[in-house]
Amino acid sequence: MTLLALGINHKTAPVALRERVTFGPEKIDHALEELLKQPQVNGGVVLSTCNRTELYLSLESQDKAQEQLIKWLCDFHEITAKDLQPSLYWHKDSHAVSHLMRVASGLDSLVLGEPQILGQVKKAFALSQDSHSLSRELERLFQKSFSVAKRVRTETDIGANAVSVAFAACTLARQIFESLKHLNILLVGAGETIELVARHLREHGVQKMMIANRTRERAELLANEVNAQVISLADIDNRLAEADIVISSTASPLPIIGKGMVERAMKVRRSKPMLLIDIAVPRDIEQDVEKLRDVYLYTVDDLESIIAQNLAQRKAAAVEAEFIVEQESSHFMDWLRSQAAVSTIRDYREQAEAIRANMAEKALAAVRQGADPEQVIMQLSQQLTNRLIHAPTKSLQQAAGNGDVERLNLLRDSLGLDHQ
């Protein structure tokens, strides 16, 4: 039995190619069904995200497997091997095991240590469970990878520090305010960065959010997801005083929030502190705002310095995480090798039982036909002994004849004999 990981990711393939081999939700069930029809494939999991497409497989044998699986992948996505093959990587057994553990732990991600990938791996695993496409070995491997990812999160600081602008903005807000739960937060914009900010804030229990955007329809889509209120950009002047925190990221060529607007809001707030985080380029908030009393303004440059510092800390934590992966991968491979012994022991017992049953049936038949029971028993014991020691005796003779002392001693150990 062989474990394999085959795929492409953000390190090996551009987004244009990754898009062509993505398995959408509507394709997964069919893909798993077709994958299990491939020669030697006992089980499979398909992991497909914006940054990677990977097949995790257990095979009876790896003979011609690489060629067959690449052909299947190309045929399924109607892409030529010439286009795909230069970007493909192929991991076998212990390398496949450590690769999955690294992926689940965020060590192979575009953003080092990001936690979202673990949920995506768990979802891929659940889909394979639902379609009954898991082998025993794959199921054990994925469960082990989940526990490794948990251990990495618990025992290292791989996820402790923000390394994305959106996450850094939320982390900064949580550092300045003891709790975000009862604060009112104004988000200006509704693009990808603000979407991530809104989701992070929601995860941290924020209950009051306003979203101001040039296009109301887009703002409403995000607001429905995070339970926020939508206002227009023109409403910001009147509603700014309600905001304890403002996080802005638009594509506006000119500032949206000026010094005068913030001064008016602070009068209404009676100097209650306000945090403004401007992650837009060009800036959404006038720089002079930082001169106002009880107003704290941070720009994308401030966040970038935080991110650079935190990324260095994550890289240090990643060294510890890699050690955990190496350790756990070794343990899993020990278990996997022990399964081969279990299979061998089972086969040996079944063979011995078949010999015993066959010879016992012959002995009973002889007794039923009137043969002397004592003579039958003696003959049975002699024949059974000869049959059971035939193969070991042959192996001992071969080892002795070849002068293979190591094999001879191994056989003596297996038979419970002392070394010569």
Side-chain angles (χ1 to χ4, degrees), residues 329-346:
S329 174
S330 177
H331 290 166
F332 181 83
M333 290 305 297
D334 288 343
W335 173 85
L336 195 60
R337 283 187 286 268
S338 74
Q339 299 313 293
V342 168
S343 175
T344 300
I345 292 168
R346 183 183 64 247

Side-chain angles (χ1 to χ4, degrees), residues 46-119:
V46 176
L47 174 62
S48 186
T49 74
C50 58
N51 285 326
R52 70 181 64 245
T53 291
E54 294 178 335
L55 308 179
Y56 292 91
L57 307 166
S58 59
L59 307 180
E60 291 178 14
S61 166
Q62 59 172 325
D63 292 342
K64 298 183 179 179
Q66 184 169 354
E67 180 183 335
Q68 291 167 348
L69 289 168
I70 292 174
K71 183 179 185 305
W72 176 83
L73 188 59
C74 290
D75 290 347
F76 192 92
H77 291 290
E78 299 179 351
I79 186 172
T80 66
K82 182 181 178 182
D83 288 339
L84 183 61
Q85 204 153 1
S87 299
L88 282 170
Y89 45 83
W90 180 273
H91 302 300
K92 187 180 77 170
D93 291 333
S94 62
H95 297 292
V97 171
S98 60
H99 178 74
L100 177 59
M101 290 179 179
R102 294 185 75 255
V103 169
S105 301
L107 295 173
D108 196 56
S109 296
L110 179 62
V111 178
L112 180 64
E114 58 93 4
Q116 287 81 10
I117 186 62
L118 178 58

